[in-house]
mmCIF file of all heavy atoms in Angstrom:
data_model
loop_
_atom_site.group_PDB
_atom_site.id
_atom_site.type_symbol
_atom_site.label_atom_id
_atom_site.label_comp_id
_atom_site.label_asym_id
_atom_site.label_seq_id
_atom_site.Cartn_x
_atom_site.Cartn_y
_atom_site.Cartn_z
ATOM 1 N N LEU B 411 44.993 1.891 -1.198
ATOM 2 C CA LEU B 411 46.118 2.824 -1.134
ATOM 3 C C LEU B 411 47.426 2.046 -1.184
ATOM 4 O O LEU B 411 47.518 0.915 -0.717
ATOM 5 C CB LEU B 411 46.048 3.641 0.156
ATOM 6 C CG LEU B 411 44.994 4.742 0.192
ATOM 7 C CD1 LEU B 411 44.895 5.327 1.579
ATOM 8 C CD2 LEU B 411 45.292 5.833 -0.817
ATOM 9 N N ASN B 412 48.453 2.688 -1.753
ATOM 10 C CA ASN B 412 49.769 2.060 -1.879
ATOM 11 C C ASN B 412 50.365 1.794 -0.495
ATOM 12 O O ASN B 412 50.468 2.687 0.338
ATOM 13 C CB ASN B 412 50.674 2.990 -2.685
ATOM 14 C CG ASN B 412 52.037 2.388 -2.900
ATOM 15 O OD1 ASN B 412 52.769 2.158 -1.949
ATOM 16 N ND2 ASN B 412 52.371 2.125 -4.148
ATOM 17 N N GLU B 413 50.785 0.543 -0.267
ATOM 18 C CA GLU B 413 51.266 0.166 1.068
ATOM 19 C C GLU B 413 52.645 0.748 1.373
ATOM 20 O O GLU B 413 52.934 1.109 2.522
ATOM 21 C CB GLU B 413 51.294 -1.361 1.193
ATOM 22 C CG GLU B 413 49.926 -1.977 1.462
ATOM 23 C CD GLU B 413 49.443 -1.713 2.882
ATOM 24 O OE1 GLU B 413 50.128 -2.097 3.836
ATOM 25 O OE2 GLU B 413 48.376 -1.084 3.046
ATOM 26 N N THR B 414 53.516 0.841 0.379
ATOM 27 C CA THR B 414 54.852 1.398 0.635
ATOM 28 C C THR B 414 54.756 2.854 1.064
ATOM 29 O O THR B 414 55.330 3.274 2.073
ATOM 30 C CB THR B 414 55.722 1.291 -0.640
ATOM 31 O OG1 THR B 414 55.578 -0.023 -1.167
ATOM 32 C CG2 THR B 414 57.167 1.582 -0.332
ATOM 33 N N LEU B 415 53.989 3.634 0.279
ATOM 34 C CA LEU B 415 53.792 5.032 0.666
ATOM 35 C C LEU B 415 53.091 5.096 2.022
ATOM 36 O O LEU B 415 53.370 5.967 2.847
ATOM 37 C CB LEU B 415 52.967 5.760 -0.392
ATOM 38 C CG LEU B 415 53.704 6.141 -1.670
ATOM 39 C CD1 LEU B 415 52.734 6.712 -2.688
ATOM 40 C CD2 LEU B 415 54.805 7.151 -1.355
ATOM 41 N N GLY B 416 52.173 4.160 2.257
ATOM 42 C CA GLY B 416 51.462 4.127 3.534
ATOM 43 C C GLY B 416 52.431 3.955 4.685
ATOM 44 O O GLY B 416 52.297 4.600 5.728
ATOM 45 N N LYS B 417 53.430 3.096 4.495
ATOM 46 C CA LYS B 417 54.386 2.888 5.585
ATOM 47 C C LYS B 417 55.270 4.117 5.790
ATOM 48 O O LYS B 417 55.615 4.465 6.920
ATOM 49 C CB LYS B 417 55.195 1.623 5.329
ATOM 50 C CG LYS B 417 54.356 0.427 5.767
ATOM 51 C CD LYS B 417 54.806 -0.919 5.317
ATOM 52 C CE LYS B 417 53.676 -1.894 5.663
ATOM 53 N NZ LYS B 417 53.825 -3.193 5.074
ATOM 54 N N TRP B 418 55.625 4.784 4.688
ATOM 55 C CA TRP B 418 56.319 6.072 4.837
ATOM 56 C C TRP B 418 55.469 7.041 5.621
ATOM 57 O O TRP B 418 55.940 7.744 6.524
ATOM 58 C CB TRP B 418 56.645 6.665 3.461
ATOM 59 C CG TRP B 418 57.936 6.163 2.907
ATOM 60 C CD1 TRP B 418 58.106 5.145 2.025
ATOM 61 C CD2 TRP B 418 59.239 6.657 3.226
ATOM 62 N NE1 TRP B 418 59.440 4.961 1.778
ATOM 63 C CE2 TRP B 418 60.158 5.873 2.493
ATOM 64 C CE3 TRP B 418 59.710 7.673 4.063
ATOM 65 C CZ2 TRP B 418 61.522 6.088 2.576
ATOM 66 C CZ3 TRP B 418 61.072 7.884 4.140
ATOM 67 C CH2 TRP B 418 61.970 7.089 3.405
ATOM 68 N N ASN B 419 54.185 7.104 5.263
ATOM 69 C CA ASN B 419 53.255 7.987 5.966
ATOM 70 C C ASN B 419 53.266 7.665 7.458
ATOM 71 O O ASN B 419 53.430 8.550 8.305
ATOM 72 C CB ASN B 419 51.854 7.792 5.359
ATOM 73 C CG ASN B 419 50.770 8.567 6.095
ATOM 74 O OD1 ASN B 419 51.058 9.418 6.917
ATOM 75 N ND2 ASN B 419 49.529 8.273 5.785
ATOM 76 N N PHE B 420 53.171 6.364 7.790
ATOM 77 C CA PHE B 420 53.111 5.988 9.204
ATOM 78 C C PHE B 420 54.376 6.391 9.940
ATOM 79 O O PHE B 420 54.322 7.060 10.976
ATOM 80 C CB PHE B 420 52.877 4.482 9.359
ATOM 81 C CG PHE B 420 53.066 4.025 10.777
ATOM 82 C CD1 PHE B 420 52.106 4.312 11.735
ATOM 83 C CD2 PHE B 420 54.219 3.360 11.172
ATOM 84 C CE1 PHE B 420 52.288 3.929 13.060
ATOM 85 C CE2 PHE B 420 54.396 2.964 12.493
ATOM 86 C CZ PHE B 420 53.430 3.255 13.434
ATOM 87 N N TRP B 421 55.546 6.001 9.406
ATOM 88 C CA TRP B 421 56.775 6.241 10.181
ATOM 89 C C TRP B 421 57.085 7.721 10.298
ATOM 90 O O TRP B 421 57.492 8.187 11.363
ATOM 91 C CB TRP B 421 57.947 5.463 9.581
ATOM 92 C CG TRP B 421 57.830 3.991 9.862
ATOM 93 C CD1 TRP B 421 57.579 3.000 8.965
ATOM 94 C CD2 TRP B 421 57.905 3.354 11.153
ATOM 95 N NE1 TRP B 421 57.493 1.788 9.610
ATOM 96 C CE2 TRP B 421 57.700 1.969 10.951
ATOM 97 C CE3 TRP B 421 58.129 3.827 12.455
ATOM 98 C CZ2 TRP B 421 57.694 1.047 11.989
ATOM 99 C CZ3 TRP B 421 58.139 2.904 13.492
ATOM 100 C CH2 TRP B 421 57.923 1.530 13.258
ATOM 101 N N LEU B 422 56.888 8.492 9.226
ATOM 102 C CA LEU B 422 57.122 9.937 9.317
ATOM 103 C C LEU B 422 56.203 10.560 10.359
ATOM 104 O O LEU B 422 56.624 11.338 11.217
ATOM 105 C CB LEU B 422 56.880 10.606 7.955
ATOM 106 C CG LEU B 422 58.008 10.490 6.933
ATOM 107 C CD1 LEU B 422 57.535 10.983 5.571
ATOM 108 C CD2 LEU B 422 59.216 11.307 7.404
ATOM 109 N N PHE B 423 54.921 10.173 10.289
ATOM 110 C CA PHE B 423 53.954 10.797 11.195
ATOM 111 C C PHE B 423 54.195 10.348 12.626
ATOM 112 O O PHE B 423 54.179 11.151 13.565
ATOM 113 C CB PHE B 423 52.524 10.449 10.748
ATOM 114 C CG PHE B 423 51.474 11.328 11.382
ATOM 115 C CD1 PHE B 423 51.099 12.520 10.776
ATOM 116 C CD2 PHE B 423 50.885 10.982 12.583
ATOM 117 C CE1 PHE B 423 50.160 13.340 11.356
ATOM 118 C CE2 PHE B 423 49.941 11.803 13.169
ATOM 119 C CZ PHE B 423 49.572 12.985 12.556
ATOM 120 N N PHE B 424 54.454 9.048 12.798
ATOM 121 C CA PHE B 424 54.588 8.480 14.144
ATOM 122 C C PHE B 424 55.833 9.032 14.840
ATOM 123 O O PHE B 424 55.773 9.505 15.982
ATOM 124 C CB PHE B 424 54.652 6.954 14.041
ATOM 125 C CG PHE B 424 54.551 6.247 15.350
ATOM 126 C CD1 PHE B 424 53.350 6.188 16.036
ATOM 127 C CD2 PHE B 424 55.667 5.630 15.915
ATOM 128 C CE1 PHE B 424 53.257 5.529 17.248
ATOM 129 C CE2 PHE B 424 55.574 4.969 17.123
ATOM 130 C CZ PHE B 424 54.372 4.921 17.793
#
Side-chain angles (χ1 to χ4, degrees):
Chain B
L411 285 172
N412 182 296
E413 281 287 302
T414 313
L415 284 174
K417 279 166 190 169
W418 274 97
N419 175 12
F420 169 74
W421 287 111
L422 281 170
F423 195 89
F424 190 72

